[in-house]
Each structure stands twice: as structure tokens, then as C-alpha cells.
Amino acid sequence: MTRIRPVTGPADPAVLEAAAILRGGGLVAFPTETVYGLGADGLNSEAVARIYAAKGRPATNPVILHVDGPDAARALVATWPEVAAVLAARFWPGPLTLVLPASEAVPSIVRAGGPSVALRCPAHPVALALIRAAGRPLAAPSANRSQHLSPTLAAHVASSLGDAVDLILDGGPTEAGLESTILDLSGPRPRILRPGPIAPADLVAVVGPVELWEGAVAAGEIQAAPGMAERHYAPRARLELVVPGAGLSRPQGRSAYVGLGSLPALPEGVRGVLLPLDAEVVGARLYALLHDLDDAGCEWILMERPPEDEAWLAVRDRLRRASAKETP
């Protein structure tokens, strides 16, 4: 039976217990300001391999190393350019991941065999306390089975990973609800590999022009960062995106319809869910809602397409990948 320990703050004794498990090569799920992470000692290849096994994660998908600040990050990279220092000073602790050329200290499994490492300093006080108590960077992708919904509650972790986790720290619901923005600094110009809570405009205001990558990495190819596969963040139910107000003529199995800002008339037997036309609110609630619909036995979820403006970029990215067809 998976152990779940409520954690009230950074001084909670559960943090020290979790740190001891991590130093011993174990796995601990913990809250961040984005989603729950599945943590292991990021410098212990065998411990990181346990993450991959628990999640069923492809070896081509690297993991983010979580650190407690720029000093720890500099020890893990071959170069720490001025642009990285400026971004870390502005956005760390916070939901921004920086991709930089890795130092020899970073195990190959963390990098998925690639030349770069993804680094972030989380803003959640429990996450920071855990990193400091463990005394090493923590490899921590989202605490769920690969390609499935990210967890925003400890219960989501337990349901997805079960006994594969040695301890789950329950810090309540996460705040942002979507994974961090990933910015690649290893090339000639900063490039967003995964949109998230830090918007492109926020980055441009600090470092000037940035590129936006909106493609998909083919199965079997090494990813530069997490979240670049065509299918990801998917519920068990079939998720289909529709134009706003499209409605549903008749239910197909146990169906749900998610409206943004308004809800059309729906046939009897279809569960209607109304979300506000607010990108930040929808981002914070999206995974929790999809978890709830899965748990209710929904087989088919129709969700209205979000607006095309920049505020909805991260939500559109997650929904695009979550609704991609499953490959055999």
C-alpha cells in the first residue's frame, strides 16, 4: 500500500523522512507549484532508472533536474551564460525550466543520452525544503504513468503509480496546474520547447526575441526536453476538441461536454461542464477536471477549443497533445 504523508510545510518531519528515502535511492512524489513530481536522486543513475520503470517512460524522454537555486544549477552545466543568470534572477524560484549544455556530473539517463540538461528551481516551499534536505538535485518528472494525465493531487499520484512510489508527500492541490515553461538556451536564440505558466511575452520582456517550437518529436527520437511527444497528458477517455458552441447531437457511450464561457443545450445523459473563459483558471483546473471525468467513467470527452491568443498557448498545447490519436 502506497504511503501518503500529509505535509503542512517545509519544517514538517515528513520532509526529512522523504529526504532520507531519496538519499537511499528511493522514489518520493512531492508537490510543486505546477504539478506533483516523482523525485529521485538526480545524480544516481539507478535511482533515476526507477523513475523510468515506474512511469513506463521512454528512454528517449529526458527528465528535469530540480535545484534550489542558480548556484546548484551552475554545477550541472558546461556553461552558464549571462542570459541564464538573468532569467534565473527574474523567474526562479518559479515555473521556468532552462535547457543548457550538461556538465559531466549529469548522468546520461537524466539527459536521455543527449548533450543538454533541463533545470528548474521550483517555487513550492515543500519542494525546496526537500531538495535542500536531500542535499542533491532531484530528477522529477510528473508523478504519473507516461503520456497520461499529470497529477495535481496526491490522490492522482496514488491512483496512477501505486506501490511504485515509496512515499507521497500530500501538500494539497497544486496552484498552476500545468507543467513549467521550458526554454532552450543551448542554441543560437532562446527557444520555447514547451509553453507553460511563464508566457512568451514575459520572456521577451527580459531577454528579447524568443522562438516558439510547436512540433512533435517522433517516437524513438531523443527529445531535448519533456513534453515534446505528439501524444501526452492524455485522459483514459477519448478527448476530442470541437468549435465553441458545437454541442453534441447524441451521446456516444458515457459522454461529457466541456464548454468555455457558455454551455450549449445538451442531450439527456451527457454531462455538461462549464469553465470560465479565463486561461489561467482553465489551466489550473484542467487536469483535475479530466481526472474527475475519468474517475466518473466517462468514455468520451468533448471540449471546446480555446481561443487562439497567447494567453491560451499552454492550454492549447496540452489539449492538442492530449487529444492526439494513440499510436499502436
Side-chain angles (χ1 to χ4, degrees):
M1 186 75 175
T2 306
R3 287 196 302 138
I4 302 178
R5 285 284 303 273
V7 57
T8 57
D12 195 298
V15 172
L16 295 180
E17 179 186 355
I21 292 172
L22 291 165
R23 288 194 300 271
L27 301 185
V28 173
F30 61 93
T32 77
E33 78 278 22
T34 57
V35 299
Y36 274 75
L38 179 60
D41 178 352
L43 302 183
N44 181 337
S45 296
E46 292 183 1
V48 176
R50 288 193 62 194
I51 289 179
Y52 279 84
K55 287 176 60 70
R57 187 181 184 90
T60 52
N61 190 0
V63 295
I64 295 171
L65 288 185
H66 291 63
V67 296
D68 67 352
D71 288 345
R74 280 194 288 267
L76 300 168
V77 296
T79 59
W80 181 255
E82 179 63 23
V83 65
V86 170
L87 287 164
R90 172 63 179 83
F91 295 111
W92 282 6
L96 177 65
T97 294
L98 301 178
V99 176
L100 290 156
S103 75
E104 293 182 358
V106 180
S108 176
I109 190 172
V110 169
R111 301 178 276 109
S116 59
V117 61
L119 301 164
R120 124 169 161 87
C121 175
H124 198 290
V126 169
L128 281 174
L130 183 60
I131 294 166
R132 289 164 181 161
R136 58 207 69 190
L138 298 184
S142 56
N144 56 278
R145 292 288 296 174
S146 183
Q147 295 191 345
H148 292 190
L149 288 172
S150 295
T152 58
L153 293 171
H156 297 159
V157 181
S159 175
S160 183
L161 296 179
D163 292 342
V165 187
D166 297 307
L167 180 67
I168 301 173
L169 295 180
D170 184 354
T174 61
E175 183 178 353
L178 294 179
E179 299 83 357
S180 63
T181 302
I182 298 181
L183 186 67
D184 183 6
L185 299 179
S186 64
R189 176 179 291 186
R191 182 174 61 149
I192 296 172
L193 299 182
R194 180 178 72 187
I198 307 296
D202 299 326
L203 299 171
V204 169
V206 176
V207 300
V210 298
E211 297 177 356
L212 175 62
W213 181 86
E214 293 187 280
V217 174
E221 292 185 6
I222 294 176
Q223 299 179 198
M228 298 175 70
E230 182 175 6
R231 180 175 169 83
H232 213 128
Y233 318 112
R236 295 190 299 274
R238 172 189 169 194
L239 176 64
E240 183 176 337
L241 303 182
V242 298
V243 297
L248 181 61
S249 58
R250 60 184 179 84
Q252 295 188 18
R254 301 187 67 175
S255 307
Y257 185 97
V258 182
L260 296 177
S262 63
L263 198 61
L266 298 170
E268 185 177 352
V270 176
R271 178 175 173 177
V273 180
L274 176 61
L275 292 177
L277 196 60
D278 183 309
E280 186 174 347
V281 172
V282 173
R285 295 183 185 176
L286 179 62
Y287 290 148
L289 170 62
L290 294 177
H291 275 289
D292 287 345
L293 294 176
D294 267 347
D295 292 343
C298 283
E299 300 166 300
W300 192 37
I301 302 169
L302 281 82
M303 183 165 180
E304 294 183 347
R305 294 183 182 277
E308 290 296 321
D309 57 87
E310 185 178 284
W312 291 88
L313 179 62
V315 172
R316 289 199 308 273
D317 173 79
R318 303 311 190 272
L319 289 174
R320 175 169 62 91
R321 298 182 193 280
S323 61
K325 291 183 179 180
E326 194 167 4
T327 54

